[in-house]
Amino acid sequence: MFMKTTLMKFTVLVFAALSVLAFCSVAADAQGIRIHYGFERKNDVKATKNKACMDMRTDYDGSTAAFYSEKAFLRDSLKQFAFDKNGNALDNEAYSKLVDLHGGLKEVSLIDFKNNAIVLGYKPSFILIRGEGKLEMPKWSLTEETDELNGYKTKKAVGEYYGRKWTIWYTEEIPYDVGPWLFWGAPGLIVKAEDEDKIFSFYMIYVEELASKSRYDFINACYDPSSSLQREKDGMYRFALKDAEKMYTRMENDMDYSHKIQGIISSKAYDKSGRELTKAERSAAFKYIPLIPESYWK
């Protein structure tokens, strides 16, 4: 179900008309756009329910794109004020707000169009994994099929991208060739994307003009071990994209390996009744399907 969209912070005339020409004239003077997306994924192909992250954003400024969780961004922002370089609390108010910010996807996707480069960043528990690679050119096959999604006239395109077959819906009413995750290259903003196996689904909620600078630089720094006060031995890893993806996928699927990387000697987990779970039961909970399939790297 899509929500009826509005273009925020535009003139009253544009708000009422939602015309393409008016959008273009205002956007030309803007610093870019921020698209609000919902993201649903399965951790098990046979699952009947998806895990939903409804606070995803794409910031696009013409040369970079950042796909991230709003909650995770706010946590990283508050940490700049809450702690000093030694981990001591500096601002009690910022620290208390951090405690309230639960959830949020700890994964980011960054695109640097000028340098044809991408970064996939992960923060499982107390470590950071940064993978760097080259941006692929999507080979979308445009179709004549149309639909109205979230208040926009959209067109369908299909193609294989980073090892999966995708169907996307894009709108030429918003003339930006970006979307969620690493998607780009369509003749308009990508409103919806779904893989062939229906494991992953992205859908636009609404879009707004960027009133300030894109968050790309801040997020890039937060996921950059070289700019961190911590060192690699403290859980900061910087790899080629292939190696970073392999490490993170294994951590998400192998409890023993994950504990080893994090330095956890032993741990316990309980069900709702308070019964301690067996090792097999805990391991069964470690299920993760990466957006870039493992077969892509072989």
Side-chain angles (χ1 to χ4, degrees):
M1 178 67 68
F2 291 101
M3 295 170 58
K4 182 69 177 179
T5 184
T6 57
L7 298 177
M8 304 175 68
K9 301 179 181 178
F10 282 12
T11 63
V12 175
L13 177 61
V14 176
F15 182 84
L18 288 176
S19 68
V20 178
L21 292 177
F23 183 95
C24 293
S25 65
V26 176
D29 298 325
Q31 301 209 29
I33 57 173
R34 175 168 295 144
I35 312 108
H36 297 233
Y37 285 103
F39 173 37
E40 296 184 1
R41 72 190 309 167
K42 293 180 180 178
N43 286 344
D44 186 343
V45 177
K46 298 179 181 179
T48 56
K49 293 184 179 181
N50 294 343
K51 180 179 179 181
C53 300
M54 301 303 296
D55 68 327
M56 303 306 295
R57 309 283 187 268
T58 290
D59 279 17
Y60 177 66
D61 63 5
S63 61
T64 65
F67 182 64
Y68 60 94
S69 160
E70 178 75 4
K71 287 183 180 179
F73 168 80
L74 292 174
R75 283 199 303 271
D76 287 336
S77 301
L78 286 169
K79 285 176 183 176
Q80 306 293 315
F81 303 100
F83 304 104
D84 63 18
K85 64 180 181 180
N86 296 316
N88 300 315
L90 287 176
D91 188 315
N92 290 330
E93 183 178 355
Y95 178 77
S96 64
K97 289 180 180 178
L98 273 173
V99 176
D100 294 332
L101 281 173
H102 300 295
L105 191 65
K106 299 178 182 179
E107 305 174 8
V108 301
S109 309
L110 305 174
I111 303 177
D112 180 347
F113 289 103
K114 288 185 177 179
N115 295 302
N116 195 37
I118 62 172
V119 169
L120 294 182
Y122 304 100
K123 288 185 178 180
S125 298
F126 304 108
I127 73 169
L128 179 151
I129 303 172
R130 178 186 175 98
E132 301 174 336
K134 290 293 183 180
L135 177 64
E136 283 194 9
M137 170 70 76
K139 296 179 181 179
W140 303 120
S141 296
L142 308 184
T143 75
E144 297 299 320
E145 190 172 346
T146 62
D147 197 0
E148 183 170 318
L149 299 175
N150 209 12
Y152 290 102
K153 294 179 180 179
T154 65
K155 295 181 179 180
K156 178 182 175 181
V158 296
E160 189 166 332
Y161 191 51
Y162 284 107
R164 293 192 187 277
K165 294 181 179 179
W166 293 92
T167 296
I168 64 168
W169 295 85
Y170 63 92
T171 178
E172 295 175 328
E173 294 180 36
I174 305 179
Y176 291 94
D177 64 340
V178 292
W181 190 50
L182 298 175
F183 295 119
W184 67 289
L189 185 71
I190 296 175
V191 174
K192 182 180 179 181
E194 187 174 62
D195 72 296
E196 181 183 46
D197 299 317
K198 300 188 184 303
I199 300 172
F200 306 100
S201 177
F202 302 87
Y203 45 94
M204 187 185 80
I205 300 173
Y206 68 92
V207 59
E208 61 183 323
E209 175 189 339
L210 271 181
S212 58
K213 188 178 178 181
S214 165
R215 293 168 171 174
Y216 176 93
D217 289 337
F218 179 86
I219 295 170
N220 188 33
C222 287
Y223 282 79
D224 186 354
S226 64
S227 66
S228 172
L229 295 168
Q230 291 181 290
R231 296 163 294 177
E232 185 171 305
K233 74 179 186 65
D234 298 315
M236 314 292 286
Y237 299 90
R238 186 174 195 155
F239 296 127
L241 187 60
K242 175 181 179 180
D243 297 321
E245 287 290 293
K246 284 186 173 182
M247 179 180 184
Y248 182 67
T249 298
R250 184 178 176 187
M251 284 190 69
E252 292 295 290
N253 283 307
D254 186 333
M255 180 184 68
D256 291 335
Y257 176 73
S258 180
H259 285 179
K260 179 181 177 181
I261 294 296
Q262 297 177 69
I264 299 173
I265 298 175
S266 65
S267 64
K268 294 181 179 181
Y270 302 87
D271 63 16
K272 293 181 179 180
S273 67
R275 180 182 65 85
E276 183 178 349
L277 300 179
T278 65
K279 183 177 179 179
E281 289 173 327
R282 285 185 291 146
S283 295
F286 275 65
K287 289 184 178 181
Y288 168 77
I289 303 174
L291 275 158
I292 302 178
E294 294 179 89
S295 59
Y296 175 83
W297 306 112
K298 297 179 180 179

